[in-house]
Amino acid sequence: MIELSAGDSDAVPTDARDGVDGLDADAPRIVSVSDLHGYLGDARRALTTLGDHPDYDPLVEADDEGRLHWAAGDESVLVVNGDLVDRGPDNEGVIELVERLAREAPPGHVRVTLGNHEWGVLFRDLVNWEAWFSGQRTDAERRQLCEAVERGGLVAAYEGYNFTYAHAGLVTDYEAADLNDRLVDAALELRETVGASEDADTQRRLVDDYRRVLGLGRQSGRGFGAGVAWLDFQFLPGNAQPQIVGHTRQDEPVQKGNVVCENVIRANRSADGGQAVLVETPESLVSLARTGDGGVERAEFDLPETTH
């Protein structure tokens, strides 16, 4: 369950774990997509938008069997902004795709943030998700996911150039490194009790002890008091720390002041097109979205007036 190995390295270096400035690369573009939710075909249509637009080099390329492989060298970072699984028909396929890209890309160039559905694997006794992929994971797979956090393969947040990437975001300011350290601490504690008699009690305690990272809020977990994997976009004010988030469904990428929400795949499941990625450079933020005829449409977003 989501090993997220980092190429030939057992662990992502701490600097590379937390943000693009920690990479040994010359200003790589950051490509992000969120809430793949087991929809492998839609994930493919989103990730191939760059190669199908005349102004962009491809992020991935397909082999003779149609499998996507990393094609961007050290010139790109891919941020999968939470919620790889549940809802769709091919959870294993999405995980396999992301893990393959993580192995093939240079260490630290594929980053995955903790979504509330990865959260549901770790803290399964706190939600009733037995019918979903996340709720059916074994204790061994839960430990494996804890180890992915420890290695830096799964993080709470990632610092881009002008925005911080997190699945749901926070109202108050934060540093990605701090949240990631706290997520590691929680995962190490949880791993020691997975499958033991104190497992459920440990889950409850950790969610309370690490509220900014793991906390459940009001209104089915998404309201006031929610942590970085759970907060609904409606509760993020426009003057919050600049963030790129997923979690809350949108028809197209939406900007509200300093905050951009990129969760578009589920809302476009019944439409032709709509799958999209965001592309951030030091100077710009744009979306590349599928059109109904299979083309790619580019849209620009405002950079925040103040950066983090």
Side-chain angles (χ1 to χ4, degrees):
M1 169 64 194
I2 315 181
E3 293 184 6
L4 297 174
S5 55
D8 295 329
S9 175
D10 289 335
V12 178
T14 300
D15 288 346
R17 179 198 71 174
D18 297 330
V20 67
D21 288 346
L23 293 174
D24 184 16
D26 185 15
R29 67 187 180 186
I30 303 173
V31 180
S32 64
V33 65
S34 80
D35 297 85
L36 300 178
H37 277 302
Y39 295 113
L40 180 60
D42 294 278
R44 291 170 52 86
R45 285 187 282 275
L47 294 174
T48 53
T49 52
L50 290 96
D52 290 342
H53 192 285
D55 295 339
Y56 294 88
D57 292 329
L59 177 74
V60 294
E61 292 180 345
D63 63 21
D64 292 341
E65 297 180 355
R67 291 174 300 191
L68 296 183
H69 297 274
W70 187 259
D74 66 356
E75 297 178 353
S76 293
V77 173
L78 171 62
V79 177
V80 183
N81 209 5
D83 281 5
L84 277 68
V85 299
D86 292 340
R87 305 187 187 280
D90 199 351
N91 297 288
E92 292 89 348
V94 168
I95 293 171
E96 180 185 3
L97 168 62
V98 174
E99 289 186 337
R100 183 189 317 124
L101 297 178
R103 289 192 302 270
E104 295 174 347
H109 282 252
V110 174
R111 316 304 301 120
V112 180
T113 64
L114 178 77
N116 58 308
H117 286 261
E118 288 77 44
W119 181 103
V121 175
L122 298 173
F123 301 96
R124 67 180 184 193
D125 291 300
L126 307 188
V127 286
N128 297 315
W129 290 355
E130 292 84 357
W132 280 351
F133 181 87
S134 60
Q136 298 169 2
R137 298 308 91 205
T138 65
D139 287 338
E141 289 171 314
R142 292 174 62 218
R143 291 189 197 96
Q144 188 178 69
L145 192 56
C146 289
E147 291 162 2
V149 172
E150 182 182 3
R151 290 194 307 270
L154 181 65
V155 297
Y158 184 77
E159 301 281 359
Y161 296 108
N162 300 292
F163 297 87
T164 301
Y165 295 78
H167 180 63
L170 289 173
V171 173
T172 56
D173 289 356
Y174 60 92
E175 296 289 338
D178 178 58
L179 292 192
N180 293 340
D181 286 344
R182 291 175 181 272
L183 180 59
V184 170
D185 291 343
L188 290 173
E189 289 190 57
L190 180 61
R191 186 182 63 181
E192 295 304 312
T193 62
V194 166
S197 59
E198 62 269 34
D199 189 354
D201 288 340
T202 300
Q203 293 174 48
R204 296 185 188 94
R205 178 179 59 79
L206 291 175
V207 167
D208 189 56
D209 288 350
Y210 297 91
R211 294 202 61 82
R212 299 192 83 203
V213 182
L214 303 173
L216 285 167
R218 300 174 184 173
Q219 301 180 16
S220 301
R222 303 167 70 103
F224 178 78
V228 74
W230 274 97
L231 186 68
D232 196 279
F233 186 62
Q234 66 177 309
F235 300 116
L236 276 176
N239 62 354
Q241 171 177 334
Q243 296 167 86
I244 292 175
V245 301
H247 190 45
T248 305
R249 280 189 294 173
Q250 311 291 340
D251 293 331
E252 60 185 9
V254 171
Q255 183 164 27
K256 178 172 61 175
N258 288 337
V259 186
V260 179
C261 184
E262 62 178 340
N263 175 9
V264 298
I265 284 181
R266 281 185 63 210
N268 288 286
R269 286 287 299 149
S270 60
D272 293 327
Q275 303 87 6
V277 298
L278 296 180
V279 183
E280 185 191 6
T281 69
E283 299 83 21
S284 67
L285 178 69
V286 304
S287 66
L288 297 176
R290 283 285 169 205
T291 58
D293 61 1
V296 178
E297 185 175 61
R298 182 180 183 272
E300 295 187 6
F301 293 85
D302 295 329
L303 295 182
E305 294 183 3
T306 58
T307 58
H308 55 291

